[in-house]
Amino acid sequence: MSNLLEVKNLSYIYGKNTPYEKIALQDINFTLEEGKILGIVGHSGCGKSTLSKLLNGLLKATNGDIILEGINIWEKPKNIKSIRFKVGLVFQYPEHQLFADTVKKDIEFGVMNMGVEKNQIDIRVRKVCDILNIPLSILDKSPFSLSGGEQKKVALAGVMCMQPKILILDEPTSSLDPLSRNNLLNQVMAYKEEFNASVIFISHNMQELSLICDNILVIKEGKQLAIDTPQNLFFDDKLLNESGLKAPEIIYIAKELKKLGYRIKDDILTVDDMCKNILELLGGDNK
Amino acid sequence: MNITIGQYYPASSIIHRLDVRVKIILLIINIIFIFCSFSIYSILLMTAMILFIMVISKVPIKQYLRSMKAIIIIFIFTAVINIFYGAGETLWSFGFIKITYDGVLNAIFIALRLLDLIFISSVLTYSTTPANITDGLERVLSFLKIFKVNTQELSMMMSIAIRFIPTIMEETHKIIDAQKSRGADFESGNILNRIKGIIPIIIPLFMSSIKRATDLSVAMECRCYNSYTKKSKMKILRIKLCDIIAILFVVTICIGVIFCNIMF
Ligand SMILES: Nc1ncnc2c1ncn2[C@@H]1O[C@H](COP(=O)(O)OP(=O)(O)OP(=O)(O)O)[C@@H](O)[C@H]1O
Ligand SMILES: [Mg+2]
């Protein structure tokens, strides 16, 4: 399968040649295939949001290339707007972008800028509301009357409406309760299936990343520590130590049991996996 | 978006170390004397002094030139207009356009005045943090107390306003990014489209500014802020030797300016 997105030796420096110079990213390399989900983790300030802005063409890399569908995104700077429609970015704080007098107009803003026909827009909005489970009754409300979580959803809907090939979500679950969090993960999966899109999911929560990601990119202080499948990352003690990140609790239980000599499989990620494994060890007797 | 005026530039120079009250008062004196320089020699003397101050401030000249960017058009316009406007000996003429010796002199004069004003103000803002400037202003303005002006409240308002400029700038950048990533276009199209393009930026900016102001006032109220009790200062300012030298230096130059005014 061909690579949808290819990132080569990407570096970014804020305020270059000023006393405030700050290296935000250094030598990042990864590829993303169609229909895959890539997770990005790292401590606060390690450069995750910067990376998302680079991919979306809001910032121009100090060094390195971003190649989308075989074409460097900065090859024709005039076309950068069309790149932004292909790589949809949902920001960390949705309150920064809501402005219209109704939710519907706000969701439509992106598609309108793409120049899609009016009746097509309506179809798209309805579809997105369906995926995200947004009740049609709030479409005529003011976006400022919504709760923080609902505003986040509206912002996400606005980007999904543009039907980007790559959907970048910057800490989308950080202010959601556990149930809404699970719902959101399912909705993102649903979007991915529906449009055969790829997703880049930035988060602090290893648990949720392990649930949906095919690969996880670990960044520390702007440098790339690793990119690997969740299983490989979580069982790599050295890497976990170095990055200062924590695997989901269940992984530590698996590790302890393994140390005690039990036959625990290598691909355990969730409580469900663990239960099945333990039941097997108990003799397959699951009453 | 690049607004460099009013940005602190960290460096260790004698100018950075001067007492902020002295800096503000000297700035005011300088501005008065820039306007009171009536002969070309006076303004040249002022310019020389200001260039000297800029050099010892250890802020790169490039930085100062950047603060010119905002007004470069006004600058060129005034200088050019003045060239054609003047009496005296004709240097060059073409039809009804004629350039005179006085006109050129006038243009140089005006250009130097503008340059001096911008550069000397930039020296203050580059060498002093905004917090120090408001602190200094409060002290310099404290004589207004005899007119029953509440200077404490005034300076609190000023320092809050200055404190939030970078925050709001940052927020504006974030909003612009968010709208750009949804395909908003602020750089092309006709005037009407551009004005329309501002709405998606202004509204979130107002919303968050109003929210921030409300939060801040509640937080201040919770901590029982009022502007009538006298507050002590965290930093006590003391006039040092370098302050006295700076004052003497500027006063000497000013006497020179008066001298040039009378002589030429
Ligand atoms: N506009 C800017 N100018 C200068 N430095 C910046 C700017 N934006 C971010 N930085 C710096 O770049 C670094 C990376 O910031 P970034 O926002 O990408 O972090 P992050 O990984 O998204 O953090 P978080 O998890 O808190 O969102 C930080 O150290 C930050 O201070
Ligand atoms: Mg971030």
mmCIF file with all atom_site columns, all heavy atoms in Angstrom, chain B residues 106-126:
data_model
loop_
_atom_site.group_PDB
_atom_site.id
_atom_site.type_symbol
_atom_site.label_atom_id
_atom_site.label_alt_id
_atom_site.label_comp_id
_atom_site.label_asym_id
_atom_site.label_entity_id
_atom_site.label_seq_id
_atom_site.pdbx_PDB_ins_code
_atom_site.Cartn_x
_atom_site.Cartn_y
_atom_site.Cartn_z
_atom_site.occupancy
_atom_site.B_iso_or_equiv
_atom_site.pdbx_formal_charge
_atom_site.auth_seq_id
_atom_site.auth_comp_id
_atom_site.auth_asym_id
_atom_site.auth_atom_id
_atom_site.pdbx_PDB_model_num
ATOM 1   N N   . ASN B 1 106 ? 14.616 71.289 4.361  1.00 0.00 ? 106 ASN B N   1
ATOM 2   C CA  . ASN B 1 106 ? 13.405 71.046 5.132  1.00 0.00 ? 106 ASN B CA  1
ATOM 3   C C   . ASN B 1 106 ? 13.091 69.555 5.227  1.00 0.00 ? 106 ASN B C   1
ATOM 4   O O   . ASN B 1 106 ? 12.745 69.042 6.284  1.00 0.00 ? 106 ASN B O   1
ATOM 5   C CB  . ASN B 1 106 ? 12.239 71.754 4.442  1.00 0.00 ? 106 ASN B CB  1
ATOM 6   C CG  . ASN B 1 106 ? 11.475 72.588 5.441  1.00 0.00 ? 106 ASN B CG  1
ATOM 7   O OD1 . ASN B 1 106 ? 11.682 72.442 6.636  1.00 0.00 ? 106 ASN B OD1 1
ATOM 8   N ND2 . ASN B 1 106 ? 10.620 73.452 4.953  1.00 0.00 ? 106 ASN B ND2 1
ATOM 9   N N   . ALA B 1 107 ? 13.219 68.880 4.077  1.00 0.00 ? 107 ALA B N   1
ATOM 10  C CA  . ALA B 1 107 ? 12.908 67.459 4.030  1.00 0.00 ? 107 ALA B CA  1
ATOM 11  C C   . ALA B 1 107 ? 13.838 66.690 4.963  1.00 0.00 ? 107 ALA B C   1
ATOM 12  O O   . ALA B 1 107 ? 13.399 65.827 5.740  1.00 0.00 ? 107 ALA B O   1
ATOM 13  C CB  . ALA B 1 107 ? 13.038 66.927 2.611  1.00 0.00 ? 107 ALA B CB  1
ATOM 14  N N   . ILE B 1 108 ? 15.124 67.010 4.907  1.00 0.00 ? 108 ILE B N   1
ATOM 15  C CA  . ILE B 1 108 ? 16.082 66.336 5.785  1.00 0.00 ? 108 ILE B CA  1
ATOM 16  C C   . ILE B 1 108 ? 15.725 66.600 7.253  1.00 0.00 ? 108 ILE B C   1
ATOM 17  O O   . ILE B 1 108 ? 15.726 65.701 8.092  1.00 0.00 ? 108 ILE B O   1
ATOM 18  C CB  . ILE B 1 108 ? 17.523 66.840 5.502  1.00 0.00 ? 108 ILE B CB  1
ATOM 19  C CG1 . ILE B 1 108 ? 17.937 66.424 4.092  1.00 0.00 ? 108 ILE B CG1 1
ATOM 20  C CG2 . ILE B 1 108 ? 18.501 66.307 6.522  1.00 0.00 ? 108 ILE B CG2 1
ATOM 21  C CD1 . ILE B 1 108 ? 19.270 66.976 3.657  1.00 0.00 ? 108 ILE B CD1 1
ATOM 22  N N   . PHE B 1 109 ? 15.344 67.831 7.499  1.00 0.00 ? 109 PHE B N   1
ATOM 23  C CA  . PHE B 1 109 ? 14.986 68.250 8.840  1.00 0.00 ? 109 PHE B CA  1
ATOM 24  C C   . PHE B 1 109 ? 13.830 67.415 9.398  1.00 0.00 ? 109 PHE B C   1
ATOM 25  O O   . PHE B 1 109 ? 13.906 66.837 10.475 1.00 0.00 ? 109 PHE B O   1
ATOM 26  C CB  . PHE B 1 109 ? 14.574 69.724 8.751  1.00 0.00 ? 109 PHE B CB  1
ATOM 27  C CG  . PHE B 1 109 ? 14.734 70.466 10.015 1.00 0.00 ? 109 PHE B CG  1
ATOM 28  C CD1 . PHE B 1 109 ? 15.969 70.987 10.362 1.00 0.00 ? 109 PHE B CD1 1
ATOM 29  C CD2 . PHE B 1 109 ? 13.661 70.649 10.856 1.00 0.00 ? 109 PHE B CD2 1
ATOM 30  C CE1 . PHE B 1 109 ? 16.114 71.689 11.536 1.00 0.00 ? 109 PHE B CE1 1
ATOM 31  C CE2 . PHE B 1 109 ? 13.806 71.341 12.032 1.00 0.00 ? 109 PHE B CE2 1
ATOM 32  C CZ  . PHE B 1 109 ? 15.040 71.873 12.375 1.00 0.00 ? 109 PHE B CZ  1
ATOM 33  N N   . ILE B 1 110 ? 12.759 67.351 8.611  1.00 0.00 ? 110 ILE B N   1
ATOM 34  C CA  . ILE B 1 110 ? 11.563 66.620 9.046  1.00 0.00 ? 110 ILE B CA  1
ATOM 35  C C   . ILE B 1 110 ? 11.894 65.132 9.213  1.00 0.00 ? 110 ILE B C   1
ATOM 36  O O   . ILE B 1 110 ? 11.495 64.485 10.189 1.00 0.00 ? 110 ILE B O   1
ATOM 37  C CB  . ILE B 1 110 ? 10.434 66.766 7.997  1.00 0.00 ? 110 ILE B CB  1
ATOM 38  C CG1 . ILE B 1 110 ? 10.036 68.226 7.852  1.00 0.00 ? 110 ILE B CG1 1
ATOM 39  C CG2 . ILE B 1 110 ? 9.246  65.901 8.366  1.00 0.00 ? 110 ILE B CG2 1
ATOM 40  C CD1 . ILE B 1 110 ? 9.095  68.729 8.890  1.00 0.00 ? 110 ILE B CD1 1
ATOM 41  N N   . ALA B 1 111 ? 12.655 64.591 8.245  1.00 0.00 ? 111 ALA B N   1
ATOM 42  C CA  . ALA B 1 111 ? 12.980 63.168 8.297  1.00 0.00 ? 111 ALA B CA  1
ATOM 43  C C   . ALA B 1 111 ? 13.757 62.855 9.567  1.00 0.00 ? 111 ALA B C   1
ATOM 44  O O   . ALA B 1 111 ? 13.463 61.879 10.270 1.00 0.00 ? 111 ALA B O   1
ATOM 45  C CB  . ALA B 1 111 ? 13.791 62.781 7.063  1.00 0.00 ? 111 ALA B CB  1
ATOM 46  N N   . LEU B 1 112 ? 14.743 63.723 9.879  1.00 0.00 ? 112 LEU B N   1
ATOM 47  C CA  . LEU B 1 112 ? 15.541 63.465 11.077 1.00 0.00 ? 112 LEU B CA  1
ATOM 48  C C   . LEU B 1 112 ? 14.683 63.555 12.337 1.00 0.00 ? 112 LEU B C   1
ATOM 49  O O   . LEU B 1 112 ? 14.818 62.762 13.265 1.00 0.00 ? 112 LEU B O   1
ATOM 50  C CB  . LEU B 1 112 ? 16.691 64.469 11.167 1.00 0.00 ? 112 LEU B CB  1
ATOM 51  C CG  . LEU B 1 112 ? 17.862 64.195 10.220 1.00 0.00 ? 112 LEU B CG  1
ATOM 52  C CD1 . LEU B 1 112 ? 18.931 65.251 10.389 1.00 0.00 ? 112 LEU B CD1 1
ATOM 53  C CD2 . LEU B 1 112 ? 18.446 62.817 10.486 1.00 0.00 ? 112 LEU B CD2 1
ATOM 54  N N   . ARG B 1 113 ? 13.770 64.518 12.356 1.00 0.00 ? 113 ARG B N   1
ATOM 55  C CA  . ARG B 1 113 ? 12.894 64.659 13.517 1.00 0.00 ? 113 ARG B CA  1
ATOM 56  C C   . ARG B 1 113 ? 12.094 63.386 13.756 1.00 0.00 ? 113 ARG B C   1
ATOM 57  O O   . ARG B 1 113 ? 12.028 62.871 14.863 1.00 0.00 ? 113 ARG B O   1
ATOM 58  C CB  . ARG B 1 113 ? 11.918 65.807 13.281 1.00 0.00 ? 113 ARG B CB  1
ATOM 59  C CG  . ARG B 1 113 ? 12.204 66.965 14.166 1.00 0.00 ? 113 ARG B CG  1
ATOM 60  C CD  . ARG B 1 113 ? 11.111 67.982 14.071 1.00 0.00 ? 113 ARG B CD  1
ATOM 61  N NE  . ARG B 1 113 ? 11.633 69.246 14.581 1.00 0.00 ? 113 ARG B NE  1
ATOM 62  C CZ  . ARG B 1 113 ? 11.020 70.404 14.450 1.00 0.00 ? 113 ARG B CZ  1
ATOM 63  N NH1 . ARG B 1 113 ? 9.888  70.468 13.793 1.00 0.00 ? 113 ARG B NH1 1
ATOM 64  N NH2 . ARG B 1 113 ? 11.552 71.485 14.968 1.00 0.00 ? 113 ARG B NH2 1
ATOM 65  N N   . LEU B 1 114 ? 11.480 62.896 12.676 1.00 0.00 ? 114 LEU B N   1
ATOM 66  C CA  . LEU B 1 114 ? 10.666 61.682 12.795 1.00 0.00 ? 114 LEU B CA  1
ATOM 67  C C   . LEU B 1 114 ? 11.523 60.509 13.263 1.00 0.00 ? 114 LEU B C   1
ATOM 68  O O   . LEU B 1 114 ? 11.155 59.782 14.187 1.00 0.00 ? 114 LEU B O   1
ATOM 69  C CB  . LEU B 1 114 ? 10.046 61.334 11.443 1.00 0.00 ? 114 LEU B CB  1
ATOM 70  C CG  . LEU B 1 114 ? 8.684  61.947 11.168 1.00 0.00 ? 114 LEU B CG  1
ATOM 71  C CD1 . LEU B 1 114 ? 8.251  61.602 9.756  1.00 0.00 ? 114 LEU B CD1 1
ATOM 72  C CD2 . LEU B 1 114 ? 7.659  61.440 12.162 1.00 0.00 ? 114 LEU B CD2 1
ATOM 73  N N   . LEU B 1 115 ? 12.673 60.358 12.615 1.00 0.00 ? 115 LEU B N   1
ATOM 74  C CA  . LEU B 1 115 ? 13.580 59.267 12.972 1.00 0.00 ? 115 LEU B CA  1
ATOM 75  C C   . LEU B 1 115 ? 13.955 59.335 14.446 1.00 0.00 ? 115 LEU B C   1
ATOM 76  O O   . LEU B 1 115 ? 13.873 58.345 15.172 1.00 0.00 ? 115 LEU B O   1
ATOM 77  C CB  . LEU B 1 115 ? 14.864 59.380 12.150 1.00 0.00 ? 115 LEU B CB  1
ATOM 78  C CG  . LEU B 1 115 ? 14.930 58.633 10.845 1.00 0.00 ? 115 LEU B CG  1
ATOM 79  C CD1 . LEU B 1 115 ? 16.313 58.792 10.254 1.00 0.00 ? 115 LEU B CD1 1
ATOM 80  C CD2 . LEU B 1 115 ? 14.641 57.160 11.078 1.00 0.00 ? 115 LEU B CD2 1
ATOM 81  N N   . ASP B 1 116 ? 14.351 60.536 14.877 1.00 0.00 ? 116 ASP B N   1
ATOM 82  C CA  . ASP B 1 116 ? 14.762 60.713 16.265 1.00 0.00 ? 116 ASP B CA  1
ATOM 83  C C   . ASP B 1 116 ? 13.652 60.315 17.221 1.00 0.00 ? 116 ASP B C   1
ATOM 84  O O   . ASP B 1 116 ? 13.875 59.617 18.204 1.00 0.00 ? 116 ASP B O   1
ATOM 85  C CB  . ASP B 1 116 ? 15.142 62.179 16.508 1.00 0.00 ? 116 ASP B CB  1
ATOM 86  C CG  . ASP B 1 116 ? 16.488 62.501 15.900 1.00 0.00 ? 116 ASP B CG  1
ATOM 87  O OD1 . ASP B 1 116 ? 17.105 61.567 15.355 1.00 0.00 ? 116 ASP B OD1 1
ATOM 88  O OD2 . ASP B 1 116 ? 16.913 63.664 15.968 1.00 0.00 ? 116 ASP B OD2 1
ATOM 89  N N   . LEU B 1 117 ? 12.423 60.770 16.908 1.00 0.00 ? 117 LEU B N   1
ATOM 90  C CA  . LEU B 1 117 ? 11.297 60.478 17.796 1.00 0.00 ? 117 LEU B CA  1
ATOM 91  C C   . LEU B 1 117 ? 11.099 58.982 17.930 1.00 0.00 ? 117 LEU B C   1
ATOM 92  O O   . LEU B 1 117 ? 10.935 58.450 19.036 1.00 0.00 ? 117 LEU B O   1
ATOM 93  C CB  . LEU B 1 117 ? 10.011 61.097 17.237 1.00 0.00 ? 117 LEU B CB  1
ATOM 94  C CG  . LEU B 1 117 ? 9.838  62.592 17.478 1.00 0.00 ? 117 LEU B CG  1
ATOM 95  C CD1 . LEU B 1 117 ? 8.581  63.076 16.794 1.00 0.00 ? 117 LEU B CD1 1
ATOM 96  C CD2 . LEU B 1 117 ? 9.773  62.868 18.965 1.00 0.00 ? 117 LEU B CD2 1
ATOM 97  N N   . ILE B 1 118 ? 11.124 58.292 16.806 1.00 0.00 ? 118 ILE B N   1
ATOM 98  C CA  . ILE B 1 118 ? 10.871 56.853 16.852 1.00 0.00 ? 118 ILE B CA  1
ATOM 99  C C   . ILE B 1 118 ? 12.000 56.131 17.542 1.00 0.00 ? 118 ILE B C   1
ATOM 100 O O   . ILE B 1 118 ? 11.783 55.287 18.421 1.00 0.00 ? 118 ILE B O   1
ATOM 101 C CB  . ILE B 1 118 ? 10.679 56.311 15.431 1.00 0.00 ? 118 ILE B CB  1
ATOM 102 C CG1 . ILE B 1 118 ? 9.349  56.816 14.912 1.00 0.00 ? 118 ILE B CG1 1
ATOM 103 C CG2 . ILE B 1 118 ? 10.701 54.801 15.417 1.00 0.00 ? 118 ILE B CG2 1
ATOM 104 C CD1 . ILE B 1 118 ? 9.219  56.655 13.457 1.00 0.00 ? 118 ILE B CD1 1
ATOM 105 N N   . PHE B 1 119 ? 13.218 56.497 17.197 1.00 0.00 ? 119 PHE B N   1
ATOM 106 C CA  . PHE B 1 119 ? 14.350 55.774 17.777 1.00 0.00 ? 119 PHE B CA  1
ATOM 107 C C   . PHE B 1 119 ? 14.441 55.992 19.279 1.00 0.00 ? 119 PHE B C   1
ATOM 108 O O   . PHE B 1 119 ? 14.639 55.040 20.030 1.00 0.00 ? 119 PHE B O   1
ATOM 109 C CB  . PHE B 1 119 ? 15.652 56.204 17.092 1.00 0.00 ? 119 PHE B CB  1
ATOM 110 C CG  . PHE B 1 119 ? 15.822 55.594 15.735 1.00 0.00 ? 119 PHE B CG  1
ATOM 111 C CD1 . PHE B 1 119 ? 16.588 56.199 14.768 1.00 0.00 ? 119 PHE B CD1 1
ATOM 112 C CD2 . PHE B 1 119 ? 15.205 54.376 15.428 1.00 0.00 ? 119 PHE B CD2 1
ATOM 113 C CE1 . PHE B 1 119 ? 16.742 55.631 13.510 1.00 0.00 ? 119 PHE B CE1 1
ATOM 114 C CE2 . PHE B 1 119 ? 15.348 53.803 14.174 1.00 0.00 ? 119 PHE B CE2 1
ATOM 115 C CZ  . PHE B 1 119 ? 16.116 54.433 13.219 1.00 0.00 ? 119 PHE B CZ  1
ATOM 116 N N   . ILE B 1 120 ? 14.256 57.224 19.729 1.00 0.00 ? 120 ILE B N   1
ATOM 117 C CA  . ILE B 1 120 ? 14.442 57.448 21.158 1.00 0.00 ? 120 ILE B CA  1
ATOM 118 C C   . ILE B 1 120 ? 13.318 56.768 21.959 1.00 0.00 ? 120 ILE B C   1
ATOM 119 O O   . ILE B 1 120 ? 13.543 56.248 23.042 1.00 0.00 ? 120 ILE B O   1
ATOM 120 C CB  . ILE B 1 120 ? 14.577 58.961 21.490 1.00 0.00 ? 120 ILE B CB  1
ATOM 121 C CG1 . ILE B 1 120 ? 15.140 59.153 22.896 1.00 0.00 ? 120 ILE B CG1 1
ATOM 122 C CG2 . ILE B 1 120 ? 13.271 59.689 21.370 1.00 0.00 ? 120 ILE B CG2 1
ATOM 123 C CD1 . ILE B 1 120 ? 16.562 58.720 23.070 1.00 0.00 ? 120 ILE B CD1 1
ATOM 124 N N   . SER B 1 121 ? 12.096 56.730 21.390 1.00 0.00 ? 121 SER B N   1
ATOM 125 C CA  . SER B 1 121 ? 11.022 56.008 22.091 1.00 0.00 ? 121 SER B CA  1
ATOM 126 C C   . SER B 1 121 ? 11.320 54.520 22.093 1.00 0.00 ? 121 SER B C   1
ATOM 127 O O   . SER B 1 121 ? 11.041 53.821 23.079 1.00 0.00 ? 121 SER B O   1
ATOM 128 C CB  . SER B 1 121 ? 9.662  56.242 21.443 1.00 0.00 ? 121 SER B CB  1
ATOM 129 O OG  . SER B 1 121 ? 9.566  57.543 20.975 1.00 0.00 ? 121 SER B OG  1
ATOM 130 N N   . SER B 1 122 ? 11.868 54.010 20.985 1.00 0.00 ? 122 SER B N   1
ATOM 131 C CA  . SER B 1 122 ? 12.187 52.588 20.934 1.00 0.00 ? 122 SER B CA  1
ATOM 132 C C   . SER B 1 122 ? 13.256 52.232 21.959 1.00 0.00 ? 122 SER B C   1
ATOM 133 O O   . SER B 1 122 ? 13.244 51.143 22.504 1.00 0.00 ? 122 SER B O   1
ATOM 134 C CB  . SER B 1 122 ? 12.668 52.170 19.548 1.00 0.00 ? 122 SER B CB  1
ATOM 135 O OG  . SER B 1 122 ? 11.771 52.605 18.577 1.00 0.00 ? 122 SER B OG  1
ATOM 136 N N   . VAL B 1 123 ? 14.169 53.163 22.199 1.00 0.00 ? 123 VAL B N   1
ATOM 137 C CA  . VAL B 1 123 ? 15.201 52.873 23.200 1.00 0.00 ? 123 VAL B CA  1
ATOM 138 C C   . VAL B 1 123 ? 14.528 52.542 24.530 1.00 0.00 ? 123 VAL B C   1
ATOM 139 O O   . VAL B 1 123 ? 14.879 51.568 25.192 1.00 0.00 ? 123 VAL B O   1
ATOM 140 C CB  . VAL B 1 123 ? 16.171 54.065 23.368 1.00 0.00 ? 123 VAL B CB  1
ATOM 141 C CG1 . VAL B 1 123 ? 17.055 53.857 24.585 1.00 0.00 ? 123 VAL B CG1 1
ATOM 142 C CG2 . VAL B 1 123 ? 17.030 54.224 22.133 1.00 0.00 ? 123 VAL B CG2 1
ATOM 143 N N   . LEU B 1 124 ? 13.531 53.332 24.903 1.00 0.00 ? 124 LEU B N   1
ATOM 144 C CA  . LEU B 1 124 ? 12.846 53.058 26.162 1.00 0.00 ? 124 LEU B CA  1
ATOM 145 C C   . LEU B 1 124 ? 12.160 51.698 26.131 1.00 0.00 ? 124 LEU B C   1
ATOM 146 O O   . LEU B 1 124 ? 12.331 50.882 27.035 1.00 0.00 ? 124 LEU B O   1
ATOM 147 C CB  . LEU B 1 124 ? 11.810 54.145 26.463 1.00 0.00 ? 124 LEU B CB  1
ATOM 148 C CG  . LEU B 1 124 ? 10.994 53.883 27.734 1.00 0.00 ? 124 LEU B CG  1
ATOM 149 C CD1 . LEU B 1 124 ? 11.826 54.088 28.981 1.00 0.00 ? 124 LEU B CD1 1
ATOM 150 C CD2 . LEU B 1 124 ? 9.747  54.745 27.804 1.00 0.00 ? 124 LEU B CD2 1
ATOM 151 N N   . THR B 1 125 ? 11.384 51.425 25.068 1.00 0.00 ? 125 THR B N   1
ATOM 152 C CA  . THR B 1 125 ? 10.604 50.186 25.088 1.00 0.00 ? 125 THR B CA  1
ATOM 153 C C   . THR B 1 125 ? 11.486 48.955 24.909 1.00 0.00 ? 125 THR B C   1
ATOM 154 O O   . THR B 1 125 ? 11.163 47.900 25.431 1.00 0.00 ? 125 THR B O   1
ATOM 155 C CB  . THR B 1 125 ? 9.514  50.190 24.007 1.00 0.00 ? 125 THR B CB  1
ATOM 156 O OG1 . THR B 1 125 ? 10.122 50.537 22.775 1.00 0.00 ? 125 THR B OG1 1
ATOM 157 C CG2 . THR B 1 125 ? 8.428  51.176 24.331 1.00 0.00 ? 125 THR B CG2 1
ATOM 158 N N   . TYR B 1 126 ? 12.598 49.089 24.189 1.00 0.00 ? 126 TYR B N   1
ATOM 159 C CA  . TYR B 1 126 ? 13.467 47.917 24.043 1.00 0.00 ? 126 TYR B CA  1
ATOM 160 C C   . TYR B 1 126 ? 14.262 47.641 25.315 1.00 0.00 ? 126 TYR B C   1
ATOM 161 O O   . TYR B 1 126 ? 14.596 46.507 25.608 1.00 0.00 ? 126 TYR B O   1
ATOM 162 C CB  . TYR B 1 126 ? 14.445 48.114 22.879 1.00 0.00 ? 126 TYR B CB  1
ATOM 163 C CG  . TYR B 1 126 ? 13.837 47.859 21.533 1.00 0.00 ? 126 TYR B CG  1
ATOM 164 C CD1 . TYR B 1 126 ? 14.123 48.666 20.448 1.00 0.00 ? 126 TYR B CD1 1
ATOM 165 C CD2 . TYR B 1 126 ? 12.965 46.785 21.341 1.00 0.00 ? 126 TYR B CD2 1
ATOM 166 C CE1 . TYR B 1 126 ? 13.558 48.442 19.210 1.00 0.00 ? 126 TYR B CE1 1
ATOM 167 C CE2 . TYR B 1 126 ? 12.401 46.555 20.107 1.00 0.00 ? 126 TYR B CE2 1
ATOM 168 C CZ  . TYR B 1 126 ? 12.697 47.385 19.048 1.00 0.00 ? 126 TYR B CZ  1
ATOM 169 O OH  . TYR B 1 126 ? 12.136 47.148 17.827 1.00 0.00 ? 126 TYR B OH  1
#
